[in-house]
C-alpha cells in the first residue's frame, strides 16, 4: 500500500466555537489553492468531521 498525501478543498465550522477558533487550527493553511484543485479528477473523495479539542486532542469521525 502506498501513502499519498491528502488535501482538502473546503471546510465548514459546525458551531460558534468552531467559527471563533478556526484561525487557531491548521485548517485555513491546508486548503488547496484553486490553481492545484481539480474538480474533474478521479481522486477518491471522503466527507468527515474533525474536532480540535481545547486540550489538544484531535478527533476524526467518518
Amino acid at each position: 500500500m502506498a501513502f499519498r498525501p491528502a488535501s482538502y478543498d473546503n471546510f465548514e465550522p459546525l458551531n460558534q466555537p468552531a467559527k471563533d477558533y478556526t484561525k487557531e487550527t491548521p485548517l485555513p493553511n491546508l486548503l488547496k489553492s484553486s490553481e492545484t484543485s481539480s474538480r474533474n479528477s478521479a481522486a477518491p473523495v471522503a466527507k468527515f468531521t474533525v474536532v480540535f479539542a481545547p486540550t489538544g486532542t484531535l478527533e476524526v469521525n467518518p
Side-chain angles (χ1 to χ4, degrees):
M1 179 161 83
F3 174 76
R4 292 188 329 189
S7 60
Y8 66 99
D9 290 324
N10 190 14
F11 71 89
E12 177 183 348
L14 298 179
N15 56 36
Q16 191 59 49
K19 291 176 186 175
D20 294 343
Y21 293 100
T22 295
K23 291 184 180 181
E24 293 185 30
T25 71
L27 294 176
N29 297 326
L30 297 175
L31 280 173
K32 286 173 48 174
S33 72
S34 59
E35 297 170 6
T36 60
S37 178
S38 174
R39 299 263 183 210
N40 296 326
S41 74
V45 176
K47 182 176 180 180
F48 53 91
T49 302
V50 176
V51 177
F52 291 93
T55 60
T57 304
L58 175 68
E59 181 180 320
V60 180
N61 296 305

